[in-house]
Amino acid sequence: MHSFEELSKQFAGRFESRHFPADPESLYEPAGYFLSIGGKRIRPILCLMGNELFGEIGSDAWQVASAIELFHNFTLIHDDIMDKAPLRRGVPTVHEKYGSATALLSGDVMLVVAYEYLNKIEEGPIHEILQLFNRTARQVCEGQQLDMDFEKKQQVDLSEYLHMIELKTSVLLAASLQMGALLGGAGKGNQEHIFEFGKHLGLAFQIQDDYLDAFGDPAKFGKQLGGDIVADKKTFLLIKAMETATPAQLDEIQALLGSRFPGKVPQMLNLFRQCGVDEWAKELKEEYIGTAFRHLEEIAVLSARKEPLKQLAGFLVQREY
Amino acid sequence: MHSFEELSKQFAGRFESRHFPADPESLYEPAGYFLSIGGKRIRPILCLMGNELFGEIGSDAWQVASAIELFHNFTLIHDDIMDKAPLRRGVPTVHEKYGSATALLSGDVMLVVAYEYLNKIEEGPIHEILQLFNRTARQVCEGQQLDMDFEKKQQVDLSEYLHMIELKTSVLLAASLQMGALLGGAGKGNQEHIFEFGKHLGLAFQIQDDYLDAFGDPAKFGKQLGGDIVADKKTFLLIKAMETATPAQLDEIQALLGSRFPGKVPQMLNLFRQCGVDEWAKELKEEYIGTAFRHLEEIAVLSARKEPLKQLAGFLVQREY
């Protein structure tokens, strides 16, 4: 059994190898550049952890883990184009550095290389893995489209927002665990539980993200607090506040949205508190964590095997930064 | 045995069905729109013909044919974004109609759906099909990148240009035939011959395309003659002319490139004729067709089974429009 940190080191070592041919450099160098800027590699490690829940980590799981990380990076390169983001992890995005056309194509080829890794599966059920991978890939695209649609909408329901986050963020975390479990020989029931564990953990993680951006401890939180409020981003907090606000509070919220008034952040935070969304977010997060852990409990393996996942889950959703 | 026209009708009937879920409409409607504007569906029919060369068309071949056509349309949607093309087949491109972000994502999801069709293979060798499909997909991306690189270069060698056309256009035609053959149970040798047949046919087809744009019969050619010359497009003709021109002719060619001088097209055509590239192009095309047919001859099946492919090849490279 390995902790997240141990698997993280092992995966980093393997993933450092070359994933692309040398030629044409104008296509593959940008793809390599993006992988070199790093990342926490959470998804591939979830695949490995899902695999180890049922036995020793097999070689198929390593291949699928690489496929998942390449897929995730493909989505980031394309999302950055769509969002016109100049920076990621403090360095220029691919389209900023190499132009949009090359960024688009580097992303495309990275997705194809992800499928090349999937095709290296030797013993596992290739059809089932492909089916899960394809469904997840489609859902992530759907989530990104909904996210873009929401930006143009005046008001978004909490249920719509939840659905979007589930597609854009949670299903890939969940499916990464499930693919590892599937390769480890898990039955349908266990696969469903590990998927639901990952899905609810993903939702809790996003709530935590939104919460920290607004109410985090400035001494611990690395970024500028209130970035989402400045950008008028639709978050769990804003959506819930708009649903529960009195007509007068709603007027105040709407007056702040889109404004560049210097007191925008503290005023919005004040409205969030008045609407009770700070407490609500903490409770909702706890609820999702509770559901996630109940699904983990239901998985029919020795409880000791679940320890690394429990530790990781606690770390992910209790972080204050 | 079926002719191209018969298979074309059958494929059109099956391919008309819905390929995408209904929701979110904002993602899938643009993808469906692009498929609805049509196309000759040459590649999937090559897959079916490659399959029928070795027996009756099996259900796996139909699935792979759909995957190939979706893949091809994915590349067109993304190419149109990269080329900033406003129109395709006389109607607005996806990015023109729905915006670049949605076009990018609709292309992405179309590629994923192509892999969903590949995963419907039931009896065929899924690993081999995936390997060939993935390699081809990567090569098509490489070809598009080289094409974009060439636009920025002053001079391109004929051998570089040939390599680019091979990647961007020929390998998908060739691999479509090979995938059909592979599913039909063809051995390695026959697979290589059908691939080479398709590859050389693709090169001949591109030469014919470049030739007709310059020297076609205006009464038969649907588009404005000399469109490539107006756009300073690097074609077989221009590249060969620049390689064989005298220093004085080269000066004239370079003075015309980038200019908007009204007599540009007839002057360039005159230079092409002086350099003998009109005759050269016809000869090179014949050479490729000859090589293609020699590979077709080498395929170890009854010669009667090859008739539909011979007819199609003749039609593709002898057309005057």
Side-chain angles (χ1 to χ4, degrees):
Chain A
M1 302 290 294
H2 299 88
S3 69
F4 182 86
E5 289 71 26
E6 287 163 343
L7 290 176
S8 183
K9 259 186 221 160
Q10 286 186 37
F11 182 75
R14 287 174 179 242
F15 197 70
E16 253 176 30
S17 68
R18 202 180 175 86
H19 299 283
F20 310 103
D23 274 332
E25 202 187 342
S26 49
L27 177 64
Y28 291 119
E29 202 270 317
Y33 161 75
F34 194 73
L35 294 182
S36 77
I37 69 175
K40 291 186 286 295
R41 317 296 190 206
I42 291 174
R43 292 153 192 82
I45 296 162
L46 286 176
C47 171
L48 297 172
M49 293 175 89
N51 195 244
E52 203 173 27
L53 198 53
F54 296 91
E56 266 188 50
I57 299 177
S59 69
D60 284 350
W62 287 102
Q63 306 291 2
V64 173
S66 290
I68 290 169
E69 185 60 16
L70 287 170
F71 171 78
H72 177 59
N73 280 272
F74 140 77
T75 66
L76 296 180
I77 293 175
H78 279 191
D79 283 2
D80 284 343
I81 300 173
M82 291 182 252
D83 301 343
K84 300 187 170 64
L87 296 173
R88 179 168 293 270
R89 302 185 198 290
V91 298
T93 46
V94 180
H95 65 96
E96 195 72 17
K97 194 168 154 86
Y98 302 94
S100 290
T102 291
L104 199 171
L105 213 48
S106 299
D108 288 348
V109 89
M110 197 179 278
L111 176 57
V112 173
V113 176
Y115 279 103
E116 289 189 326
Y117 276 97
L118 289 183
N119 200 31
K120 291 182 183 173
I121 293 177
E122 287 183 334
E123 295 174 5
I126 177 85
H127 280 293
E128 285 174 68
I129 290 287
L130 273 175
Q131 192 180 8
L132 180 51
F133 189 94
N134 289 336
R135 187 190 72 195
T136 307
R138 250 201 311 105
Q139 288 175 325
V140 173
C141 292
E142 293 172 5
Q144 169 69 6
Q145 181 66 45
L146 289 177
D147 198 10
M148 296 194 297
D149 292 346
F150 289 176
E151 272 174 35
K152 292 174 206 148
K153 281 175 83 169
Q154 273 282 322
Q155 187 143 9
V156 173
D157 289 349
L158 185 61
S159 64
E160 289 179 294
Y161 182 74
L162 268 170
H163 180 58
M164 184 275 284
I165 291 295
E166 193 179 314
L167 293 172
K168 187 173 169 167
T169 305
S170 293
V171 291
L172 183 56
L173 297 165
S176 298
L177 284 161
Q178 191 185 342
M179 282 188 248
L182 207 167
L183 290 170
K188 278 274 166 245
N190 282 341
Q191 282 184 46
E192 276 170 33
H193 284 304
I194 192 86
F195 182 89
E196 291 298 319
F197 166 73
K199 192 179 92 179
H200 286 89
L201 202 63
L203 290 166
F205 186 78
Q206 186 65 49
I207 296 170
Q208 176 80 345
D209 233 35
D210 289 359
Y211 180 88
L212 287 178
D213 189 89
F215 300 111
D217 179 343
K220 293 180 187 166
F221 192 66
K223 292 177 282 188
Q224 180 69 35
L225 277 191
D228 290 345
I229 293 172
V230 172
D232 300 312
K233 223 184 123 186
K234 291 191 179 75
T235 64
F236 274 102
L237 302 171
L238 177 61
I239 289 165
K240 183 68 178 179
M242 288 176 83
E243 280 193 11
T244 52
T246 63
Q249 286 167 335
L250 192 57
D251 284 347
E252 284 188 67
I253 291 173
Q254 264 153 351
L256 286 174
L257 288 175
S259 87
R260 299 185 164 214
F261 168 60
K264 181 175 175 176
V265 173
Q267 278 205 18
M268 190 67 96
L269 289 178
N270 203 22
L271 283 157
F272 282 177
R273 283 198 192 89
Q274 283 174 27
C275 297
V277 297
D278 50 345
E279 287 307 312
W280 166 84
K282 280 201 248 180
E283 281 163 27
L284 187 62
K285 189 189 86 170
E286 288 306 323
E287 205 181 301
Y288 282 129
I289 295 173
T291 307
F293 274 85
R294 271 196 300 284
H295 282 288
L296 188 62
E297 287 307 320
E298 289 293 326
I299 297 171
V301 299
L302 283 182
S303 128
R305 299 203 79 87
K306 301 176 185 172
E307 273 313 308
L309 278 173
K310 276 188 194 159
Q311 279 174 21
L312 173 67
F315 166 74
L316 282 180
V317 294
Q318 265 133 50
R319 80 210 141 88
E320 291 179 49
Y321 49 89
Chain B
M1 303 290 292
H2 298 87
S3 68
F4 182 85
E5 290 71 26
E6 287 163 344
L7 290 175
S8 183
K9 258 185 221 159
Q10 287 186 36
F11 181 76
R14 285 173 181 244
F15 197 69
E16 255 175 30
S17 68
R18 200 178 178 90
H19 299 282
F20 309 104
D23 274 334
E25 203 188 340
S26 49
L27 176 65
Y28 291 118
E29 203 271 320
Y33 161 76
F34 193 74
L35 294 183
S36 76
I37 69 174
K40 291 187 284 294
R41 317 297 191 205
I42 291 174
R43 292 152 193 84
I45 296 162
L46 286 177
C47 171
L48 298 172
M49 292 176 89
N51 195 244
E52 204 175 25
L53 198 54
F54 297 90
E56 266 188 48
I57 299 176
S59 69
D60 285 349
W62 288 102
Q63 306 292 1
V64 173
S66 289
I68 290 169
E69 185 60 17
L70 288 170
F71 170 78
H72 176 58
N73 280 272
F74 141 76
T75 66
L76 297 180
I77 294 175
H78 280 191
D79 283 3
D80 284 343
I81 299 173
M82 291 181 250
D83 301 342
K84 299 189 170 61
L87 296 174
R88 180 169 290 271
R89 303 185 196 289
V91 298
T93 46
V94 179
H95 65 96
E96 194 70 19
K97 196 169 151 88
Y98 301 95
S100 290
T102 291
L104 201 171
L105 212 49
S106 298
D108 288 348
V109 87
M110 199 179 277
L111 177 57
V112 173
V113 176
Y115 280 102
E116 290 190 326
Y117 275 97
L118 288 183
N119 200 31
K120 290 182 184 176
I121 292 177
E122 285 183 336
E123 293 172 9
I126 178 84
H127 280 291
E128 286 174 65
I129 289 287
L130 272 175
Q131 192 180 6
L132 181 51
F133 189 95
N134 289 336
R135 187 189 72 194
T136 308
R138 252 203 307 108
Q139 289 175 326
V140 172
C141 292
E142 292 171 7
Q144 169 69 7
Q145 181 65 45
L146 289 177
D147 198 11
M148 296 193 300
D149 292 346
F150 289 176
E151 272 174 37
K152 290 173 209 149
K153 279 175 85 168
Q154 273 281 323
Q155 188 143 6
V156 174
D157 291 347
L158 186 61
S159 63
E160 290 180 295
Y161 182 73
L162 269 170
H163 180 58
M164 182 276 283
I165 292 296
E166 194 180 313
L167 294 172
K168 186 171 169 168
T169 305
S170 292
V171 292
L172 183 56
L173 297 165
S176 298
L177 284 161
Q178 191 184 342
M179 282 187 246
L182 207 167
L183 291 171
K188 277 275 166 243
N190 282 341
Q191 282 183 45
E192 276 170 33
H193 285 304
I194 192 87
F195 182 89
E196 291 298 319
F197 165 75
K199 191 180 90 179
H200 287 89
L201 202 65
L203 290 165
F205 185 81
Q206 186 65 49
I207 296 170
Q208 176 80 345
D209 233 37
D210 289 0
Y211 179 87
L212 287 178
D213 190 88
F215 300 110
D217 179 344
K220 292 179 185 162
F221 192 67
K223 293 178 281 187
Q224 181 70 38
L225 277 190
D228 290 345
I229 294 173
V230 172
D232 301 310
K233 220 183 127 185
K234 292 194 179 74
T235 64
F236 275 102
L237 302 171
L238 177 62
I239 288 165
K240 183 68 178 176
M242 288 176 83
E243 280 194 10
T244 53
T246 63
Q249 286 168 336
L250 192 58
D251 283 348
E252 283 189 66
I253 291 172
Q254 263 154 352
L256 286 174
L257 288 176
S259 87
R260 298 184 166 216
F261 168 60
K264 178 176 177 177
V265 173
Q267 278 205 19
M268 190 67 96
L269 289 178
N270 203 21
L271 283 157
F272 282 177
R273 282 199 192 89
Q274 284 173 28
C275 298
V277 297
D278 49 345
E279 287 308 312
W280 166 84
K282 279 200 247 178
E283 281 163 29
L284 187 63
K285 189 188 88 172
E286 288 306 322
E287 206 183 300
Y288 282 129
I289 295 174
T291 308
F293 274 87
R294 273 196 300 283
H295 281 289
L296 188 60
E297 287 308 320
E298 289 293 325
I299 297 171
V301 299
L302 283 182
S303 128
R305 299 203 80 88
K306 300 174 185 172
E307 273 313 308
L309 278 173
K310 277 188 194 161
Q311 279 175 22
L312 173 66
F315 165 75
L316 282 180
V317 292
Q318 267 134 49
R319 79 210 142 89
E320 293 180 47
Y321 48 87

